[in-house]
Amino acid sequence: MPAAKPVIKQPTISPYGDHGLRVQFAADGFSQPVNDAVHELAAKLKESGNWIDVMTGYDSLVVTFDSAQIHMMDAKRRLEDSLIRGASSGIKSRLSK
């Protein structure tokens, strides 16, 4: 029987400057499962074509958008929808509520 994937807490989304949003996953120090989730989500967000740029860190990522075309709150909703819909089903199955 394969080992269960670790459960990852639901990330928080916060503004990052005037035209960016930061997705922060909870981690106490470096966590390989969290880092894998960050990169998996980043790949899916890049594929979507909805963001100017997607930049990853160890336990977070930042997306940028054109603030002349989309309001910060609408961009945040778009990002939340991506997480809710399971922009990455592998991540969605590991997120705790």
Side-chain angles (χ1 to χ4, degrees), residues 2-40:
K5 291 184 178 184
V7 174
I8 299 169
K9 290 183 182 177
Q10 185 75 29
T12 58
I13 301 172
S14 57
Y16 194 81
D18 293 334
H19 60 274
L21 292 165
R22 180 174 138 179
V23 179
Q24 179 69 55
F25 287 83
D28 186 21
F30 180 78
S31 165
Q32 190 63 56
V34 168
N35 187 254
D36 291 344
V38 167
H39 286 276
E40 189 176 340

Side-chain angles (χ1 to χ4, degrees), residues 41-95:
L41 178 59
K44 295 295 183 181
L45 294 173
K46 286 177 184 178
E47 286 175 15
S48 76
N50 291 327
W51 310 102
I52 292 173
D53 201 3
V54 179
M55 299 156 281
T56 60
Y58 290 125
D59 58 3
S60 64
L61 63 83
V62 172
V63 295
T64 58
F65 55 91
D66 183 349
S67 58
Q69 298 293 319
I70 185 170
H71 187 272
M72 174 78 72
M73 292 308 296
D74 293 330
K76 183 177 180 185
R77 277 191 285 276
R78 182 180 289 174
L79 189 53
E80 289 169 340
D81 287 347
S82 293
L83 285 166
I84 290 168
R85 281 192 328 264
S88 169
S89 58
I91 292 171
K92 186 177 179 184
S93 68
R94 291 180 279 167
L95 290 177

